[in-house]
Amino acid sequence: MAAVQWDPFEAIERDVRAMVADQRWADVPAPTQAQAMAARLLRTPDGGCWLFGTHARWHRHDQADGEWHLSAPPAAPQVRAAALPAHPAPPVPGHLLPAAADLALARGSTQAFVGPDVPRGLADRIRELLDVACGLREENRPFTTGPLREVFHEDATAPVAAMWGAIMWTAYAPAFDGNERLLSMFGEFLDRPLPGDDWVRWLPAMPLSALTSLYAERLARGARAATLVAAHLTDTASALLADPRFEFRAAALLAMVTPLRSRPWLDHPARDAETMAQAWMSRCPPSLRGALLPETSPGEHFRHTFYDLVEALSFVSVHGADPRAVAASLLAADVDAIAPTVAPQLYPWLDAELRRAFQVALGDPGHPLRGCWPRDGEPPEALRPADRNTAAALLGAGYATGLAWCRLTGTVPPPRGFPTSSAMVTCLIHQRDDPVPGAPATSAEWIRHR
C-alpha cells in the first residue's frame, strides 16, 4: 500500500482552526496573535509564503510589493508536500488575523444548477409556498415599484415576487438548467423570457436592494402587507438551506429578515431601499458577512469568486498546469469577448503574478495561455473535468466570477452567458439529472415564447 503523503497545508489549516476555536483566542492581544500566526506560515519551493487567516482562506505574500493577497493555495500534491515553515517570516498584518467567526463560515457549493438538479423535495416545498402566495391575490394587491416589477406580470403579487427574489439573491451562481422545476413553476407569472439559450438560463445577479425595495413598498401599505413579504422571504430561504448552492446566502437572508416577521416596523425609519438594505445588513452576524460582499465590496467579492475559480480548476494540476494561470487566462477570455476596455479596472484586484498572466493572455494571441480559451464553444480537452460535479463547480465558479467582474466594472452581463462557462455546458448536457419516472417532462417553451 502506498504511503499517504503528508500535506503541510492541511496540517496548518487544522492547527489554525483548533487554535482560533479556543475561547481564549479572542482575549489574546493582537501582537501575540500575530506572533502565533507567524509561526504557522508556510513557504513553498517557488518562494511563496502562505498564511491561513481571515475569511478562513489562504493568503499569499508577494515579495515584489510586500503585500498579502487572497490566493487559493497550490493544488499539486508535490508542491504542497514540499512546503516548509517560513523562516524568516514576513510580518502578519492585523486585518489578516483569523477570528472565531471566520471559522464558522460554511460557504457551501460553487456548483451551478446545470447537471445536478435542485433536490425534488426542495422544489416541492417551494411549490407549496408558491401555491400559498397565489392564494393571496385578493388581500395582497399587486406591487408597483422596484427591480422585481420589471420581471413579473402586473397581476403577480408581492409574495410571489419575494419568493423569486429570495431564490435569485441566495443562488451562488444563478445559471439554471432550462428544464429546472424551480424556474418553470414561476413561468405563468413572468412578463418576459429569461435570458439564456436552449440549455441554460443565464440569470443576472439579484441585488439586495431589489428585496428591500419590495419590502419598503409593502411597508408603506401597512404592517400586514410587509409581514407577508417577510414571511415568504424567510420561508423560501428556510427551504433553500437544504441545497448547499443556496445555503450560505440563504442563512444570511434569514438572519436579516426573520426579525421582521414579528416586528414589521423595525426598519420603518428607513424609507428608501438603499437605507433599508443597510439596516438589513446590520443584522447579519459576522460569520455570514461574506455573503454580503457583493453589496459591501464588489472588488473583494470578485477576489473571492476568483479564488473559487482557481479551486475549481485544481484538477488541471494533474497535467502540470498552474490553476492560477489557467484561471487568469479564462478571465481574459471572458473579458476579451464581452468588454475588453474594462480590463484595467480589474488590475488592482489581482496580485502581480495573476495580473501578468491576465495581461499576456489578453494581449498576445500566440501565447500558450490562449490554449485555455474555448474554441467553437468547446473547452480544450485538458479543461474537461472528469466528472459531473467538478464540471458543475467549474461552470458555477466561472459564471459567478463573470457576474462579479461585471458588477465591479458596471458591465451588463451577456444574456447567453460568458464564453468559458458556456463552453463548460457541453460537458454537462448529457449528464443532467434524469426526469423522475412517470413525471411529465417540463417544457422550456414558456421561457422562449410568451
Side-chain angles (χ1 to χ4, degrees):
M1 179 181 296
V4 177
Q5 192 172 42
W6 184 63
D7 188 330
F9 282 84
E10 289 185 356
I12 288 295
E13 181 172 339
R14 286 195 301 269
D15 187 26
V16 170
R17 286 182 178 277
M19 179 175 65
V20 178
D22 191 311
Q23 293 182 352
R24 295 170 294 182
W25 175 257
D27 298 324
V28 174
T32 307
Q33 288 187 358
Q35 185 178 9
M37 293 302 300
R40 290 163 173 80
L41 300 181
L42 291 175
R43 193 176 299 280
T44 44
D46 64 355
C49 189
W50 298 85
L51 162 74
F52 184 74
T54 186
H55 303 296
R57 291 198 139 171
W58 287 91
H59 305 260
R60 184 174 184 269
H61 186 257
D62 191 325
Q63 293 179 333
D65 62 15
E67 299 292 333
W68 289 91
H69 299 274
L70 185 71
S71 180
Q78 64 273 21
V79 176
R80 295 170 68 95
L84 297 171
H87 299 301
V92 177
H95 69 275
L96 293 186
L97 295 174
D102 291 307
L103 306 185
L105 286 174
R107 292 183 178 276
S109 170
T110 67
Q111 291 183 351
F113 302 89
V114 183
D117 284 347
V118 170
R120 187 170 184 84
L122 190 162
D124 288 344
R125 175 56 181 153
I126 296 296
R127 177 76 257 185
E128 293 172 1
L129 293 172
L130 186 59
D131 288 343
V132 173
C134 292
L136 299 171
R137 290 182 186 272
E138 292 301 323
E139 62 178 296
N140 194 62
R141 294 172 292 172
F143 63 104
T144 58
T145 62
L148 286 168
R149 173 69 275 161
E150 302 173 1
V151 179
F152 292 92
H153 285 306
E154 291 184 358
D155 60 348
T157 62
V160 170
M163 292 182 62
W164 176 268
I167 292 169
M168 294 304 144
W169 189 83
T170 57
Y172 170 81
F176 289 84
D177 187 316
N179 289 322
E180 175 56 61
R181 292 179 64 235
L182 201 62
L183 297 191
S184 62
M185 68 177 70
F186 286 89
E188 65 180 288
F189 307 105
L190 299 176
D191 190 41
R192 60 180 62 185
L194 297 178
D197 49 41
D198 288 342
W199 298 103
V200 181
R201 309 303 158 215
W202 302 102
L203 300 177
M206 178 72 67
L208 185 62
S209 59
L211 304 185
T212 56
S213 177
L214 178 65
Y215 183 81
E217 191 221 36
R218 305 317 291 173
L219 184 59
R221 301 191 182 201
R224 177 172 175 77
T227 301
L228 281 172
V229 164
H232 279 78
L233 284 172
T234 55
D235 288 346
T236 303
S238 295
L240 296 173
L241 287 172
D243 190 317
R245 294 168 291 187
F246 293 108
E247 181 182 12
F248 188 34
R249 287 166 67 84
L253 184 59
L254 279 171
M256 293 188 290
V257 182
T258 298
L260 298 175
R261 295 191 68 162
S262 58
R263 293 177 288 166
W265 60 84
L266 186 61
D267 297 329
H268 199 273
R271 291 290 185 172
D272 64 276
E274 293 297 335
T275 306
M276 189 168 288
Q278 295 299 320
W280 285 25
M281 290 189 289
S282 69
R283 291 194 287 271
C284 191
S287 60
L288 297 172
R289 291 283 170 83
L292 304 180
L293 281 177
E295 320 292 336
T296 60
S297 178
E300 290 299 326
H301 176 57
F302 166 66
R303 280 177 170 159
H304 279 275
T305 56
F306 190 84
Y307 187 113
D308 294 337
L309 178 58
V310 174
E311 288 196 317
L313 284 162
S314 61
F315 67 92
V316 304
S317 64
V318 174
H319 308 296
D322 177 8
R324 279 167 45 90
V326 174
S329 178
L330 296 183
L331 174 64
D334 285 347
V335 171
D336 182 70
I338 306 302
T341 60
V342 307
Q345 297 181 51
L346 302 179
Y347 295 161
W349 302 99
L350 301 170
D351 62 51
E353 186 179 89
L354 287 172
R355 189 160 56 247
R356 285 192 296 271
F358 178 57
Q359 288 174 319
V360 75
L362 272 175
D364 184 358
H367 196 277
L369 282 176
R370 281 286 182 102
C372 301
W373 289 21
R375 293 289 184 270
D376 300 321
E378 299 271 352
E381 198 59 36
L383 293 189
R384 285 186 170 272
D387 60 87
R388 182 179 73 162
N389 288 336
T390 303
L394 180 51
L395 190 158
Y399 189 58
T401 299
L403 292 178
W405 69 253
C406 282
R407 187 167 194 159
L408 176 60
T409 62
T411 303
V412 177
R416 288 181 173 265
F418 300 90
T420 57
S421 46
S422 295
M424 197 52 53
V425 175
T426 64
C427 303
L428 289 163
I429 287 176
H430 303 296
Q431 298 189 48
R432 298 182 298 173
D433 287 341
D434 294 328
V436 176
T442 302
S443 171
E445 291 302 306
W446 66 275
I447 268 178
R448 294 198 296 270
H449 303 297
R450 294 294 305 178

